[in-house]
Amino acid sequence: ETSTAFSQIGLSDELIASLNSKGFEFSTPIQELTIPIILSGKDIFAQAETGSGKTGSFAIPVLEQILRNDNDEIYIVLSPTRELAQQTHKVFSEFGESIGVQSVCVIGGESFDKQKELIAKDPKVIVGTPGRICDLIKQKIIKSKDCNCVIFDEADRLFEMGFNKDNEFVLKNVKPTRQLIMVSATNNQEIFRTAYKFNSNPEEVKLNED
């Protein structure tokens, strides 16, 4: 397998410099496949096993979109567990810090008031567990109509763990033209049923286990 330099996938020099400074020069195969599709604004379902670089496959193009668009739009990332939300947020903050892109992590079991304060600082990326994201939308703390993109992080687990209603609540409360990015280790028909229900026909990208 040959690796592709990030500079060949159409990323800005600013983001490439940030990636390089953290020791990342080459994309993994799943990143190489997903980044151009996400940058084109299309909906996507990307399937690859754990450890393949799935988080980077959406975090990198989302940061690039934010750099290009420079507007008030936000990105909401739904993660099935607190631990995964924290890991995903760490990737966004690690790559986004030097380019001025602020992200926050909002999870259950932590101070609601503190999270309100963090969101009041207008972060571009909000990563969190479904229940807490929904609570913050219901209280109008997250301005969901400003959401440009919803990301299902480990989408199979989001549905297996019973977050269907929360997933749908978020999609109902963002604008219908939003982008939908779903990354997963396995397939789950509920993922596609939900996507189709909200007028999304995602491109499918799958890496074989071998």
Side-chain angles (χ1 to χ4, degrees):
E1 263 177 273
T2 56
S3 297
T4 302
F6 285 117
S7 55
Q8 293 174 259
I9 308 179
L11 300 180
S12 61
D13 292 343
E14 196 178 350
L15 181 54
I16 290 169
S18 175
L19 292 168
N20 291 169
S21 72
K22 303 296 180 184
F24 294 91
E25 292 182 29
F26 298 98
S27 61
T28 66
I30 192 66
Q31 291 165 2
E32 188 177 343
L33 290 168
T34 57
I35 289 172
I37 295 171
I38 293 172
L39 287 178
S40 74
K42 293 176 183 171
D43 293 351
I44 185 171
F45 172 78
Q47 183 181 331
E49 68 243 39
T50 305
S52 56
K54 287 199 299 293
T55 306
S57 75
F58 63 81
I60 293 166
V62 161
L63 289 168
E64 178 68 26
Q65 282 186 348
I66 292 167
L67 282 176
R68 290 182 186 183
N69 297 338
D70 190 28
N71 53 33
D72 293 331
E73 292 178 332
I74 61 170
Y75 292 72
I76 294 175
V77 185
L78 296 173
S79 298
T81 66
R82 295 168 55 179
E83 294 73 24
L84 186 63
Q86 289 167 327
Q87 289 169 25
T88 299
H89 172 246
K90 188 180 176 188
V91 173
F92 273 104
S93 49
E94 190 175 9
F95 295 157
E97 188 178 28
S98 65
I99 57 173
V101 177
Q102 191 184 2
S103 59
V104 296
C105 182
V106 291
I107 54 180
E110 295 199 357
S111 166
F112 198 83
D113 288 337
K114 175 71 174 165
Q115 291 172 1
K116 282 169 66 174
E117 288 173 22
L118 290 171
I119 291 168
K121 294 176 182 174
D122 295 327
K124 291 289 189 181
V125 181
I126 301 171
V127 184
T129 43
R132 184 51 57 98
I133 294 269
C134 289
D135 288 344
L136 289 161
I137 289 174
K138 285 170 188 169
Q139 294 203 21
K140 299 191 173 12
I141 294 157
I142 292 177
K143 299 181 180 72
S144 55
K145 294 303 177 191
D146 291 340
C147 180
N148 186 47
C149 177
V150 174
I151 297 149
F152 289 168
D153 183 12
E154 298 293 359
D156 48 355
R157 292 173 67 194
L158 274 174
F159 286 91
E160 286 161 11
M161 291 172 68
F163 291 120
N164 310 43
K165 285 185 178 175
D166 290 339
N167 300 335
E168 291 198 7
F169 176 83
V170 172
L171 290 174
K172 275 178 194 158
N173 281 276
V174 299
K175 56 190 175 187
T177 55
R178 53 82 199 108
Q179 187 175 15
L180 180 60
I181 299 169
M182 302 173 288
V183 296
S184 187
T186 62
N187 201 345
N188 178 319
Q189 285 311 304
E190 201 61 44
I191 300 171
F192 283 93
R193 267 199 288 273
T194 300
Y196 299 147
K197 184 174 177 179
F198 288 88
N199 301 315
S200 173
N201 191 13
E203 285 204 22
E204 290 185 59
V205 172
K206 294 184 183 182
L207 277 188
N208 294 333
E209 289 184 7
D210 58 2

